[in-house]
Structure formats: C-alpha cells, structure tokens
Amino acid sequence: FMTWAYSDKPKMTIQLANAFRKLGNKLDIMVIPIGLAFEQAKETIPEVVLHNEDRIHPSLEGTYLAAAVFYAALYDKSPAELDYHAGLDKTLARQLREAAWITVQGYYPSDK
C-alpha cells in the first residue's frame, strides 16, 4: 500500500505516489492509495488529525481512513454506507469513508 506523507512534510505525497505507482506498474500489482486518501481527507476535512503526535504514524482517524481505502480498493465498493465508526464521531467517520471512496475512484477510474 502507498504510505502517507509525514504531517509536517506534505510535499512527500507526490513523491510517494509516483514511486508507488511506478513500482505497482512495474510489478503489475494493485497499489492501495492510502497516501492520496490522506491528502484527500485533509482537503475535504481540514480539521481532521490523521497523524499521532510523532507526525509519522497514523492517529485513530488515519488508521480508520486507511482501512476504508483498503475496503474500497479491494471490494470496489463505497465504504460510505458502512455502519462501523471505531468510536469516532459518526459524521467524521462517514466523511473519512467518503474520502476513501473518492480517492479510490480517482486512482482506479474505470478498472483495476
């Protein structure tokens, strides 16, 4: 899976995305675009905190988002209507699931 940028180094996203895309193409394997979903979520939910205090590892919200991206990519289905929210605010959890689906649809626009 494509990792995410450190919270204090958002420009890492494009470098990571390019490297993972290149490797996925070379190996002819699916890449789960979690790093791009972090970027999408930050754009659509600016107040969300996706990293722990170390600025590297994901917070509960970041981990939840990553799981939603895996679901969307592996099942080719929107996680938006899933009911599990991992103890997060239900509205925020839905927004994260929607960000996951938007990201996956953009990364795999027609087929995998």
Side-chain angles (χ1 to χ4, degrees):
F1 67 91
M2 177 191 303
T3 57
W4 48 86
Y6 301 161
S7 65
D8 60 342
K9 298 184 180 181
K11 292 183 180 182
M12 286 175 63
T13 299
I14 192 69
Q15 296 166 323
L16 288 165
N18 289 338
F20 277 93
R21 183 176 282 123
K22 182 179 177 181
L23 184 59
N25 288 338
K26 181 178 180 178
L27 299 175
D28 193 28
I29 58 173
M30 174 187 270
V31 174
I32 309 294
I34 296 171
L36 295 177
F38 268 53
E39 183 176 63
Q40 174 69 32
K42 289 301 292 179
E43 288 176 16
T44 58
I45 321 163
E47 70 279 5
V48 71
V49 177
L50 299 173
H51 296 81
N52 280 332
E53 291 178 9
D54 68 5
R55 298 180 297 236
I56 297 169
H57 295 94
S59 62
L60 173 60
E61 293 83 350
T63 301
Y64 184 86
L65 175 60
V69 176
F70 268 102
Y71 178 92
L74 295 175
Y75 292 104
D76 194 24
K77 290 173 56 178
S78 173
E81 299 306 318
L82 296 176
D83 196 29
Y84 180 71
H85 54 84
L88 297 173
D89 172 82
K90 289 182 181 184
T91 300
L92 174 60
R94 182 176 179 83
Q95 290 173 313
L96 291 169
R97 293 190 311 267
E98 288 170 351
W101 184 235
I102 289 167
T103 302
V104 170
Q105 285 185 305
Y107 198 72
Y108 296 109
S110 59
D111 67 328
K112 293 183 179 70

